[in-house]
Amino acid sequence: MYKDIVDFIKYIYPNQNPVPLHAPVFLGKEKEYLSDCIDTTYVSYIGKYVTQFEQKTAEFSGAKYAVAVVNGTAALQIALKLAGVNYGDEVITQPLTFVATANAIAHCGAKPVFVDVDPDTMGMSPEKLNDWLVNNTNYNQSTRQAINKSTNQPISAIVPMHTFGHPCRIDEIVEIANRFNIPVIEDAAESLGSYFRNKHTGTFGLAGILSYNGNKTITTGGGGMIITDNEEFARKAKHLTTTAKVPHKWEFIHDEIAYNYRLTNVNAAIGVAQMECIDILLKNKRETADLYRDFCHNNGIVFFKEPLNSSSNYWLNTIRLKDRKERDTYLSYTNDNGVITRPVWRLMNKLEMYKDCQTGNLDNSLMLEATLVNLPSGFRN
Ligand SMILES: Cc1ncc(COP(=O)(O)O)c(C=O)c1O
């Protein structure tokens, strides 16, 4: 079975040795727009591409507003801050995620609480979220906050993540969060082009964030975006990520302690060119997923299909093996034979800095951590 899948991957990705997990691809006007930045000298924070990139992202995602920032981690930190996450608060997220999700919470001075994921979406489980909130919080009627019974701290946000581009059951999560009056910030870093019930991921909660890191569906080299339908939230996000400068022809007046988190015109120029090719990129990814699905079906391998009611971007194609031993044998065979594969992240609650955080029952996350493998999923020529 191991040799068959290696041969198959080399067949669908010919002339690449080793076959990378997900390499960037530049099919459009990236060079032209970059030259324009240099020719006009607009390489830094001023220039037309940032606004164009924001407009294209809003249009594509259906969000009313999009604010470009330096990376996805910063986008999440600012979105959480604007959602009202304060020093000492607690924020619920999933343990099966990239470390940036938990780090952004910690950057706000808050502590993550980890609740389990669903085995079929790999994203936060609405049932487990509800159970945790019901069993571990009291609702304070006067402050309208869910308070953690054991720490006495407020739960000030919930951050579900759309793992490997597969939408989680976000409508149920938002409904539960609303009952407890907790804002939802979606970590949609991996799910540009993924939809739940025909609505783009990242647009269900108060705000969502996207990442344009080099391994994502589209890249700006490094970059991120905050998307929201809330005008005031978007205005504040722009202000807070641009050193809170009060607009004036020549005076330097800043009205709060803020951040220099803006995206440069150079990065945004790449982003505009990439967005112009997004349909081609997504179509190619879906065709790759179809090839993997058929191969896995014919070879008795469990392949992760897009969940119910969803259209996934299939950012990273994923298979599930029998157990950790089989996973490790598989990882070692493929990586030794010219095909880059990787396991899922070590669970957040097992990392040194988050090992004392509160968790719910994490059975599904533990099972997935031990058995998932990502397959090469970049653009196929
Ligand atoms: C789930 C998740 N959250 C957040 C991030 C952070 O994005 P960035 O690398 O742009 O800071 C990433 C990706 O890198 C991610 O996969």
Side-chain angles (χ1 to χ4, degrees):
M1 156 185 150
Y2 299 148
K3 184 173 178 322
D4 287 351
I5 196 159
V6 162
D7 289 347
F8 175 72
I9 292 170
K10 287 185 172 171
Y11 168 72
I12 64 171
Y13 287 101
N15 311 320
Q16 299 188 50
N17 196 11
V19 181
L21 195 68
H22 203 293
V25 60
F26 304 107
L27 305 171
K29 295 186 173 170
E30 286 86 354
K31 277 190 184 165
E32 187 185 318
Y33 296 163
L34 282 173
S35 293
D36 183 44
C37 290
I38 291 168
D39 293 344
T40 59
T41 76
Y42 286 121
V43 294
S44 192
Y45 298 126
I46 300 172
K48 63 185 180 194
Y49 291 112
V50 173
T51 316
Q52 282 182 18
F53 188 37
E54 291 174 339
Q55 280 167 352
K56 277 191 182 301
T57 307
E59 206 176 291
F60 180 79
S61 66
K64 284 202 183 127
Y65 307 95
V67 177
V69 295
V70 69
N71 57 48
T73 314
L76 191 52
Q77 180 195 351
I78 296 301
L80 287 168
K81 220 174 146 57
L82 291 175
V85 175
N86 289 314
Y87 193 85
D89 290 1
E90 295 177 12
V91 173
I92 300 178
T93 190
Q94 55 196 67
L96 187 92
T97 186
F98 179 56
V99 70
T101 315
N103 284 347
I105 295 168
H107 293 156
C108 294
K111 210 166 176 182
V113 170
F114 299 112
V115 304
D116 207 6
V117 297
D118 278 328
D120 53 346
T121 68
M122 299 178 282
M124 187 179 283
S125 153
E127 288 83 12
K128 298 275 185 93
L129 172 67
N130 190 58
D131 284 354
W132 192 88
L133 284 165
V134 167
N135 293 325
N136 293 282
T137 62
N138 286 322
Y139 193 69
N140 182 324
Q141 293 292 349
S142 60
T143 61
R144 303 189 65 233
Q145 283 178 314
I147 305 289
N148 186 335
K149 283 186 208 169
S150 61
T151 61
N152 226 14
Q153 298 298 333
I155 307 297
S156 52
I158 297 173
V159 185
M161 200 276 277
H162 303 289
T163 309
F164 305 136
H166 294 302
C168 65
R169 289 156 63 198
I170 186 65
D171 55 347
E172 292 166 79
I173 290 171
V174 169
E175 204 222 76
I176 293 163
N178 286 344
R179 266 193 273 127
F180 288 84
N181 196 32
I182 305 171
V184 171
I185 303 293
E186 287 171 75
D187 185 341
E190 304 179 353
S191 63
L192 177 69
S194 299
Y195 298 82
F196 183 77
R197 296 190 196 277
N198 297 321
K199 190 167 154 57
H200 198 281
T201 50
T203 64
F204 288 79
L206 175 58
I209 69 99
L210 304 168
S211 163
Y212 307 108
N213 184 28
N215 63 357
K216 295 296 188 290
T217 299
I218 70 162
T219 186
T220 57
M225 194 74 79
I226 299 171
I227 53 177
T228 182
D229 283 345
N230 186 311
E231 187 180 1
E232 185 61 2
F233 192 99
R235 191 194 61 73
K236 285 184 178 161
K238 190 50 133 184
H239 194 59
L240 203 55
T241 53
T242 54
T243 65
K245 186 174 184 304
V246 180
H248 191 280
K249 269 190 188 160
W250 55 81
E251 292 277 18
F252 285 98
I253 302 167
H254 304 263
D255 61 4
E256 61 181 307
I257 299 173
Y259 302 83
N260 179 12
Y261 278 175
R262 47 192 150 188
L263 193 70
T264 70
N265 203 41
V266 168
N267 295 107
I270 303 175
V272 171
Q274 293 261 293
M275 278 304 281
E276 286 169 354
C277 297
I278 185 88
D279 292 341
I280 299 169
L281 297 170
L282 289 171
K283 184 164 173 280
N284 191 279
K285 291 184 82 56
R286 180 159 284 271
E287 285 164 3
T288 307
D290 287 346
L291 292 171
Y292 275 130
R293 189 201 52 216
D294 291 350
F295 175 86
C296 289
H297 178 77
N298 295 333
N299 288 273
I301 301 169
V302 180
F303 174 72
F304 253 98
K305 291 186 220 123
E306 60 199 345
L308 214 59
N309 304 316
S310 299
S311 171
S312 175
N313 66 2
Y314 282 102
W315 171 51
L316 286 185
N317 290 286
T318 306
I319 55 172
R320 205 168 91 196
L321 296 164
K322 194 166 72 180
D323 51 28
R324 189 177 288 268
K325 189 161 167 274
E326 189 179 273
R327 182 200 77 166
D328 289 348
T329 315
Y330 179 84
L331 285 167
S332 122
Y333 184 86
T334 48
N335 284 289
D336 285 350
N337 286 280
V339 170
I340 307 292
T341 58
R342 54 161 237 192
V344 73
W345 316 275
R346 182 159 297 181
L347 297 185
M348 292 302 107
N349 57 301
K350 294 186 180 177
L351 300 180
E352 188 56 32
M353 58 284 193
Y354 300 121
K355 70 178 190 320
D356 298 328
C357 293
Q358 207 169 336
T359 71
N361 166 295
L362 300 182
D363 285 353
N364 296 330
S365 302
L366 287 162
M367 178 274 289
L368 293 171
E369 182 199 36
T371 54
L372 293 185
V373 170
N374 293 138
L375 305 176
S377 301
F379 191 78
R380 283 179 310 103
N381 286 305

